Structures are given as structure tokens and as C-alpha cells.
Amino acid sequence: MSQHATELCLLLVDDVYGELTSRAFSALICYGRLSIAGLLHYTGLTPRQVKHSLAVLIQQHLALWYAASDETATYYEANWTSAYALLRSGKFVRIVEERLGSFAGGIVSNMLLSGHASTRDLAQAYDIVPPTDSGAALNEPAVLTNGHTSNEDSKPHIAESFHSSLHTLLDRGFLSSVHESYFRSDADNRSEAEALMRRIKNFEGELKADQKRELAEAIEEKLLEWKSGSSADDDTFTVTPFEKPVNSRKRKWKGEPDLAHDTGKRQRSDAQNIKMVIPSLEDEENSSHQDNGATLSVNYDKLVVVARNEKLVRLVEERIGQATSRVYAEVLRHLEKKIKFCVPSKGESDGLTEEDNIVLGPKVSTAEIAAAMANLEDLAGGIGLADPSMINLDPIIHPRKKRRRFNMNGEHLNGETSETEEDDSDTELQNGNITDVEIDSDDAKGDDGYKSEIKVEKDGDENQESPNTLSSLSNAQSCHFLTRQNLFLLAEHPYNFLSFIRRSGSTPESWAVNFTALVSQLRLIELENIITTRYGVEALRIIRILQEKGKLDEKAISTFALMNQKTMRSILTTMHEAGHLDLQEVPRDNARQPARTIFLWFFDPERCRQKILEETYKTMARCMQRAKAEREAVQSVIDKASRTDVVGKEDELLGLDERTTLGAWREKEERLLGEIGRLDDLVAVLRDF
């Protein structure tokens, strides 16, 4: 982990949870895995303070823990990805509110505040189940986060909304069940999975090649099971869920595991003495998980997938148009249900080519997209249809090559064609009319894509209405036609937003998205935008030349870029000092004299990405420090304005100078936080997508 990323995470934890928690987190992130004795040594806190800090860190998933057995010591380590995710809480709530409504957004907001929570405690926060002594609720039952009040008249409505929203959040994958692996690092999970698989398969001692392969596959399968939250074995960190209302007609929760048994593994561990917000430091023997309900947490991976889809939709809107972006958004929304992570797990795509990943990956058919795009107004303005008589296709129609014919003796028959070829020679393309009839695969060189689906039709009667005229089609046919045209437009774009998969037997034509290539293109666009902003258009020209040609010397770069060497050399030096360009020295002899050395310039996108990512972390940390300094300068005014007797009466109870100071601070904070949010979008593209 880099220095600036560490600094940023420490600032976030300190800003949200205070100095006590941040001191323990700082020790873990700076010194690595530590036991409680190590934390006491490096933090200088009392045992009670260290345990309280660890309880908060584990509850918020900011610290991971692992104990090899019940008798060995428990070790803790910092989880910096969850610390960074504190920046995105508002974005995640907005995503859920836009898709599922404000009530579901309130549930996700509560879950983000509590880290992880049992369904019973979550329901108790909404005053749906009677309070218990198992732990504190998320909020006081009298006033709820989403603005509802818990009176008797609103209880049935709140209960129905709560169950409906919770079911939907689980089905969409925005919430997931918590397993014991949730609190362990990836390395510890791999060690546990290996030990578990060896015990299950009775593998002992030295393994043969086929046994090693079988064990590796079983380990990857178990890790994916734990990561996706679909495991229902004895490692499940849940207990019996609370009873649902008798009149509830909801189906069984999709994300709810089988909780018929509980092994009680590590029941005496400090990490399981967790309630809702901040657990009380009571004795472990007095803590109980019975009747707490299935434990849930926010699925950050799924929300990052949704954020990536939104970014791709905005890119399509910029490059193609709004109507086509609506079609693409619908495609991604269908694929979103089948995608759990942005970055596939290790072993998922090993040994598969890019084409295999597309064909075997998630797909969506044309009929599904057309059914979802039932409103023609959403497709209006995307693709215009002109009258066929106004279009001259001669410049773009090429004569079709005649097939060579051979007799039984292998002799070439010159000038002889089949009836099919004679018919095909008179054909003409009509205004992009794409139907389900395929041309002969022999005529489509390299028949490997959607172009083989274009049918070439004969000219009919001139007075007959063209089949491309939407007025001759029904509403459903028109919608299907326009949707299909937009899908092909996305597939034909240089960025390859979609990949077309042909019909085969009973399988309809479908579409897939090559996310790996698209994310690489997104990152390249961001890098080019940053380079253009910092160094100018000439620098972007040099970068593109180096990316296309590879390593070049100054003379070759000057020739390709049509720039004089003086201007070009200054740009190369500036970018090299910033770490965005690299230089390789190739000596002509063993003397390695500069006069007899070739200096080759090249552009490494991965190194440039890492450099810009570090600079972004540093900028975000400086913005947070500046916001903190500005807040401390006017802390007295902020404290006065936040008093309950002053809120809503600022004009009456605050002086003119105080109101001016408060307004200036709020404007500065808004600008700084807005800049941090924009920088976080850049980090998402460069790191998470």
C-alpha cells in the first residue's frame, strides 16, 4: 500500500470515527498484523481502549482478524479498501435510491453506518419486532432514518415496505449475508480453504499432479463461494432468522443461507462480541447471538459493478447519442444481474481466450432488450430512416466475387456460375435493412460477427412501400427494429461496446459485453485527458504515436509527429520528469558513451496509470486536510449554528459576521468535497473497474 493511500485512509477513519479508533487503525496499517499485545505497545492505549477500538474497527470491517485455533492468539490487520469505501457512502446510497426508492436507500444507509447487522436488529430499528437485549438498535425507534415515525397506524405500512425493500436488496445483490470469511484476509481465507479441502478430500502428504490440480480447483471454488456469500456450510456466520409476519406472502430470501445448524466455532472470540453500532464491553460469556437473525452487510463489489455500468452509459451518450445510451443502459441492466464482481476471481478465466470469455460469459438476447424498450419515445432521434429512392448506394456496394467452380477432375470451370450467384449479382443493400436471414458463409470472409447477419435483398416494385418504413410496422415491430439497429450501432463502434453472438439452433441471437477491453479503453481515455490538460495537444500526439509504433528515438518521433526537435524535446523531458514517459538506453558498444548510445522513448500505460493514481490519492488527502483546517478555523461558529435552539433560526440568533463566516465555510467545504468526489470517480476508473 502506498504512502499517500495510507495517509488518505487514516484521514477518513479519523474524520468519521474519531481519534481513539484512528490510533488503533494507524498502528495496524503502519505495522501490519498485530496481536492485542502489539497494539498495546504501539498505540500506548489501555487494554479497555484497545478492545473498544477493535470492536468498532471490526464492526465497520476496517480491521480483519484471524486465529489459527481457539488456543492461539488472534491477530488483526487493517482493511484499507473498506476505509477508502467510506468516501463512497453517499454515492452508494444514491445508486440504491435511484433504482429502488428512498426506503431501500434508507436501509442501505443504516447498513453503511452499522457495518453489518442482523435482520432482527435491523427490523427492530424500524420498530417492526419487539426490542430485545441482544444489542442496541441502529436508531431510536421513535425517529427513523428515512423520516418515518413509528406510530401504530404506520407500522403495517413500514413493515410491508421494509420486507419488500429487503427482499429486493438481497435479490439485486446490494446486500449479502456475512460469513466468517468476511472477517479474514484473502491469504487467510486461502489457507483455511486449503486446509478444509484437504480434510474433505483426504489429501495428505505429497500430492500427485492430478491431485494438485483437483485441490487447486476445489480451493478456487470454495473461495468464490465464500466471496459471493453463497456458502451454506458450517462456516456460515449466521443464526436462525427472525420470524416473518404471518400474512407475509413474500418468497424465501434468495440471499438467505441454510441456517439449520450452528457449529459455534470460535464462539468465545472477541470478534463475535458484536452488536449493532458499538458493542458494549461486557463479558463474552454473557453475549448471545440467539434470535439475532441472519447477519447482512452492504455488498460493495456489486455497487462498484453498477457504478461501472453508469460510467459506460455516459461514455456511450457522449460518443453516440442519448437514445442509443438508453438501449445500452438496458443491456447492462440485464447483464448486471449475472455479474457479481468487476474483476473476475483468479482461476475463473484461466486458459480462456477473449472470444471464449465473451461466448461463455453473461449474455442477453435481442428480444429481451426489445421487450424492455417498449416505449418508442426512448428510441426517438437515435437512428433516422430515409426514403430508399433518396440514397445512392453505388459508391459503397462492391461487386460480389464469384465462386470458383471445379469439375470432378479438379479442372477450373471459367465463367460458369450457379443460379444462386446469378440471383446474388443483382442484389442491392436497402437502407440498412437487417433481418434474420443469413448470407452464405462462403461469401462472408471470416464469418465471425454480426456482419454476416446483413441480408441483401432484391429491388421490388418502386411503388411498393419499403419494408424499412416504420409506418408499415406495428408498434412492437418498430420497437424491435429500432432496438436492433441501435444494438448493431453499438457493436460497430470502434470501442466495441457490444459483441454480437449469432443464432445457433434454438439459441436466439444475443449480445455480450467485453468489459476488459472497455475498461482498458476507459483508462486510456482518462490518461489521455490528463496528459492533454497538463502538457497540451502536442503531448497527446506524441503519446499516441509511441503507443502505436512502440519505442522510438527523437528523430523518428519528430518525423511522425511533424514537430521540430526543440519543441518535441521539451515536451518529452517534461513528461519524463513527471514519470509519464520512460527512456531506454541502448549502447552501440561496451564503452557506453552518450555519443554512441541510442535513446529510445516509450509509453507504458500501466506505469502511467499507477503514477496518476498515486497523485490522485495525494490530492484527495490534501483536500481533506484543507477542509479540516478550514473547519477548525470557524469551529466556534459551527458549534453555535449546530445547537438545537439555533437550527432553523440562524437569521435571528446569528450575527451578520457569523452568518457570513458560516456561509463562506460551507461554500469552501462544498467545493472541496465536490473535488474529492470527482477524484474518486477517477480512482474508480483507474483501480476498481
Side-chain angles (χ1 to χ4, degrees), residues 665-680:
W665 168 74
R666 286 174 177 171
E667 183 180 356
K668 291 178 183 178
E669 187 183 46
E670 184 178 354
R671 289 182 179 180
L672 289 170
L673 294 180
E675 182 64 23
I676 292 174
R678 287 187 289 271
L679 292 172
D680 176 59

Side-chain angles (χ1 to χ4, degrees), residues 603-649:
F603 174 67
D604 186 358
E606 181 61 24
R607 187 170 185 270
C608 184
R609 181 186 71 86
Q610 291 289 349
K611 183 69 176 177
I612 292 178
L613 192 59
E614 290 301 313
E615 295 172 353
T616 307
Y617 288 146
K618 182 178 179 180
T619 306
M620 296 171 73
R622 297 297 175 266
C623 287
M624 289 201 64
Q625 290 174 341
R626 184 63 184 174
K628 182 179 180 180
E630 293 290 342
R631 182 170 60 249
E632 290 176 351
V634 294
Q635 190 63 48
S636 60
V637 180
I638 296 173
D639 293 339
K640 183 178 179 180
S642 60
R643 282 164 42 185
T644 56
D645 59 333
V646 179
V647 174
K649 302 178 182 178

Side-chain angles (χ1 to χ4, degrees), residues 646 648-655 659:
V646 179
K649 302 178 182 178
E650 289 84 355
D651 295 338
E652 302 176 7
L653 302 178
L654 293 180
R659 293 199 303 272

Side-chain angles (χ1 to χ4, degrees), residues 507-668:
T507 305
E509 67 176 24
S510 55
W511 307 84
V513 178
N514 187 358
F515 287 105
T516 304
L518 281 177
V519 169
S520 299
Q521 189 64 46
L522 271 177
R523 290 175 178 172
L524 184 60
I525 291 172
E526 294 293 345
L527 296 179
E528 290 181 349
N529 291 339
I530 293 172
I531 290 173
T532 305
T533 304
R534 293 185 182 181
Y535 311 110
V537 181
E538 294 82 3
L540 177 61
R541 188 191 312 168
I542 294 174
I543 289 296
R544 289 180 174 176
I545 290 172
L546 292 175
Q547 194 172 10
E548 179 182 356
K549 303 295 183 181
K551 298 179 180 180
L552 298 174
D553 60 1
E554 290 185 359
K555 184 178 180 181
I557 296 173
S558 178
T559 303
F560 286 119
L562 302 178
M563 297 170 59
N564 62 70
Q565 288 195 3
K566 184 177 180 181
T567 304
M568 178 203 63
R569 192 175 292 114
S570 64
I571 295 175
L572 290 175
T573 304
T574 304
M575 288 195 292
H576 180 59
E577 291 176 352
H580 298 153
L581 273 186
D582 293 304
L583 185 63
Q584 180 179 358
E585 301 177 4
V586 182
R588 297 181 180 179
D589 52 27
N590 294 332
R592 305 184 71 89
Q593 297 179 357
R596 296 190 56 78
T597 301
I598 302 174
F599 296 93
L600 299 178
W601 295 91
F602 65 97
F603 174 67
D604 186 358
E606 181 61 24
R607 187 170 185 270
C608 184
R609 181 186 71 86
Q610 291 289 349
K611 183 69 176 177
I612 292 178
L613 192 59
E614 290 301 313
E615 295 172 353
T616 307
Y617 288 146
K618 182 178 179 180
T619 306
M620 296 171 73
R622 297 297 175 266
C623 287
M624 289 201 64
Q625 290 174 341
R626 184 63 184 174
K628 182 179 180 180
E630 293 290 342
R631 182 170 60 249
E632 290 176 351
V634 294
Q635 190 63 48
S636 60
V637 180
I638 296 173
D639 293 339
K640 183 178 179 180
S642 60
R643 282 164 42 185
T644 56
D645 59 333
V646 179
V647 174
K649 302 178 182 178
E650 289 84 355
D651 295 338
E652 302 176 7
L653 302 178
L654 293 180
L656 179 60
D657 294 341
E658 292 176 330
R659 293 199 303 272
T660 303
T661 302
L662 190 62
W665 168 74
R666 286 174 177 171
E667 183 180 356
K668 291 178 183 178

Side-chain angles (χ1 to χ4, degrees), residues 75-308:
Y75 288 89
Y76 305 89
E77 61 180 294
N79 184 12
W80 72 274
T81 54
S82 294
Y84 182 87
L86 294 172
L87 272 175
R88 299 175 175 172
S89 299
K91 294 181 181 180
F92 291 159
V93 173
R94 176 192 59 80
I95 288 174
V96 176
E97 285 182 348
E98 289 178 353
R99 291 172 175 259
L100 305 178
S102 59
F103 200 98
I107 293 178
V108 171
S109 178
N110 271 330
M111 295 298 297
L112 288 171
L113 289 173
S114 62
H116 61 270
S118 66
T119 51
R120 172 170 288 276
D121 287 332
L122 188 61
Q124 182 183 324
Y126 288 85
D127 201 22
I128 297 176
V129 296
T132 63
D133 295 332
S134 59
L138 292 169
N139 294 292
E140 292 297 329
V143 180
L144 300 177
T145 302
N146 57 4
H148 295 284
T149 56
S150 60
N151 52 59
E152 296 297 330
D153 297 335
S154 61
K155 276 187 178 180
H157 171 70
I158 294 177
E160 182 65 25
S161 300
F162 173 79
H163 287 294
S164 176
S165 300
L166 196 58
H167 284 298
T168 307
L169 288 169
L170 287 167
D171 287 339
R172 296 288 184 90
F174 295 144
L175 295 181
S176 60
S177 59
V178 172
H179 300 264
E180 193 176 357
S181 60
Y182 178 80
F183 300 96
R184 295 193 296 249
S185 64
D186 293 339
D188 293 332
N189 279 329
R190 181 169 291 276
S191 300
E192 285 287 318
E194 182 177 358
L196 179 63
M197 291 298 105
R198 278 181 174 271
R199 188 167 61 253
I200 292 176
K201 296 182 178 295
N202 294 323
F203 287 163
E204 296 180 359
E206 191 69 22
L207 301 181
K208 298 181 180 178
D210 55 343
Q211 290 178 328
K212 290 181 179 179
R213 192 182 310 109
E214 182 182 355
L215 179 62
E217 292 176 356
I219 290 173
E220 295 299 334
E221 201 173 307
K222 175 57 68 175
L223 290 175
L224 181 61
E225 202 174 279
W226 284 345
K227 188 176 181 181
S228 60
S230 60
S231 177
D233 53 18
D234 55 355
D235 290 311
T236 302
F237 188 68
T238 49
V239 292
T240 306
F242 67 92
E243 294 182 359
K244 302 178 179 63
V246 178
N247 59 352
S248 175
R249 296 187 298 273
K250 300 294 181 182
R251 64 184 184 278
K252 189 181 189 300
W253 298 354
K254 184 178 180 181
E256 184 176 311
D258 183 12
L259 306 173
H261 60 282
D262 181 15
T263 61
K265 188 178 181 181
R266 299 192 185 97
Q267 288 181 348
R268 296 183 300 276
S269 175
D270 290 339
Q272 299 207 16
N273 188 16
I274 295 171
K275 301 299 186 293
M276 291 302 302
V277 180
I278 299 178
S280 59
L281 298 175
E282 59 188 8
D283 294 335
E284 296 170 6
E285 289 78 12
N286 296 332
S287 63
S288 174
H289 295 284
Q290 298 302 321
D291 301 327
N292 279 353
T295 308
L296 305 176
S297 67
V298 177
N299 188 355
Y300 293 103
D301 294 325
K302 189 69 173 183
L303 291 167
V304 172
V305 170
V306 177
R308 180 184 65 180

